Amino acid sequence: MAEIIDGKAISTQIKDELKTKVSELKASGKSIGLAVILVGNDPASAVYVRNKKKACEYIGIESLSYELPEETTEDELLKLIDELNNKNNVNGILVQLPLPKHINEERVLDAISPLKDVDGFHPVNVGALSIGRKGFVSCTPAGVIELLKRSGIEIEGKECVVIGRSNIVGKPMAQLLLRENGTVTIAHSRTKNLKEVCRRADILVVAIGKPKFIDSEYIKEGAVVIDVGIHRQEDNKLCGDVDYDDVFPHVSYITPVPGGVGPMTIAMLMNNCVKSISLQ
Ligand code: NAP
């Protein structure tokens, strides 16, 4: 019988641990501040930002909010980031993506001090991960590792297949599994025989961005399946990149959507905010 990995419960556990840490830090005179920058009126981004602020409040992290109009220029945004880089009460800086089209995302993300880059997107932090140095790690893949570890799933020596090679999920995911001594394969849209490749996996992490793409034909009996995907269906319900009902009878562990990987992303962002104190 497959076990469902409860991302909601695990993320709450992490947030409670962080809450205790933050109150200990406060008792020793240290506080943590996260600057959250939102440019424009994208409704989905506004929801994400609101949830991040709520998590900060729960844990005891001070969130400083910068809600800028759609017309904000790249120079204005870069100037704000420069100010925040130099502010002592700001430990983390988060720019909510996507940015309006007239702003170069890469230039903006590169302007954030690597020591305050709690999203783990700066090339310095990406490089640090790949050579095993300290730094911030992208939140969603870091959350997947926590889900595996806290569910008692061993990674060392396991065949791990990651489908997807994006900079924010697939690539850091593969690096993290490698760091945990997994034997890692990265599959993508040019991979030949995807089913065969996936059927080798003891641990299959799916980050394709296509609803219910992975069915039981891609699964080795008893595999662990982690579904990073998130999609709103026509009936307004959420689903992942994995066809959950079809795959379920064949797996040992699986993450549901919603309630699997999703809640972990914010928990790991909070973890990065707390970690910023020791990195700075
Ligand atoms: P992305 O940038 O669109 O990357 C998708 C990856 O999947 C690409 O590397 C692509 O390969 C690969 N791919 C696409 N079609 C494929 C196919 N038919 N066979 C094999 N590989 C294929 O997406 P992302 O940002 O990594 O996100 C992936 C999913 O996770 C999305 O559903 C997203 O909404 C979700 N997500 C969830 C969270 C969370 O907090 N839960 C966070 C981030 C993302 P190529 O590189 O060759 O094009």
Side-chain angles (χ1 to χ4, degrees), residues 61-250:
I61 293 173
E62 195 192 339
S63 68
L64 300 112
S65 186
Y66 297 85
E67 286 171 22
L68 310 177
E70 182 84 21
E71 321 72 77
T72 305
T73 65
E74 188 175 304
D75 282 347
E76 284 165 341
L77 183 55
L78 291 173
K79 188 164 168 281
L80 171 63
I81 290 171
D82 187 47
E83 280 164 25
L84 296 172
N85 280 341
N86 293 302
K87 261 194 173 172
N88 287 336
N89 64 335
V90 171
N91 303 90
I93 302 171
L94 183 152
V95 177
Q96 185 62 46
L97 301 178
L99 286 166
K101 289 202 170 52
H102 64 277
I103 298 178
N104 181 319
E105 223 159 75
E106 212 169 272
R107 227 173 286 150
V108 169
L109 296 181
D110 286 3
I112 297 172
S113 160
L115 292 172
K116 297 190 176 186
D117 165 42
V118 283
D119 261 335
F121 294 163
H122 193 286
V124 166
N125 283 316
V126 174
L129 172 62
S130 81
I131 57 171
R133 299 249 185 109
K134 274 190 187 168
F136 292 110
V137 176
S138 181
C139 301
T140 303
V144 171
I145 296 291
E146 280 301 312
L147 285 179
L148 292 170
K149 285 188 173 173
R150 288 177 188 245
S151 304
I153 296 162
E154 206 177 338
I155 303 170
E156 183 163 328
K158 295 285 171 62
E159 286 285 342
C160 304
V161 175
V162 179
I163 321 179
R165 56 173 165 179
S166 70
N167 290 338
I168 60 165
V169 186
K171 280 186 199 138
M173 187 71 253
Q175 291 284 359
L176 285 171
L177 290 165
L178 186 61
R179 193 165 85 177
E180 298 296 331
N181 299 315
T183 302
V184 183
T185 303
I186 307 177
H188 45 77
S189 66
R190 314 289 170 89
T191 298
K192 298 217 163 62
N193 306 323
L194 185 65
K195 282 185 186 169
E196 268 168 46
V197 172
C198 291
R199 276 200 298 260
R200 287 208 303 262
D202 301 312
I203 300 174
L204 180 65
V205 182
V206 189
I208 292 188
K210 296 203 160 108
K212 298 189 179 181
F213 186 92
I214 296 298
D215 63 20
S216 56
E217 289 185 13
Y218 291 78
I219 307 293
K220 171 162 107 178
E221 281 300 318
V224 173
V225 174
I226 305 289
D227 189 353
V228 181
I230 183 148
H231 310 275
R232 173 98 34 209
Q233 300 177 102
E234 276 174 12
D235 60 4
N236 214 29
K237 286 194 183 139
L238 294 174
C239 77
D241 290 346
V242 174
D243 185 341
Y244 185 89
D245 293 335
D246 191 51
V247 159
F248 190 83
H250 303 279

Side-chain angles (χ1 to χ4, degrees), residues 38 42-53 96 266:
L38 173 66
D42 179 47
S45 293
V47 173
Y48 291 137
V49 164
R50 203 161 51 237
N51 289 340
K52 286 169 188 174
K53 284 198 254 180
Q96 185 62 46
I266 290 190

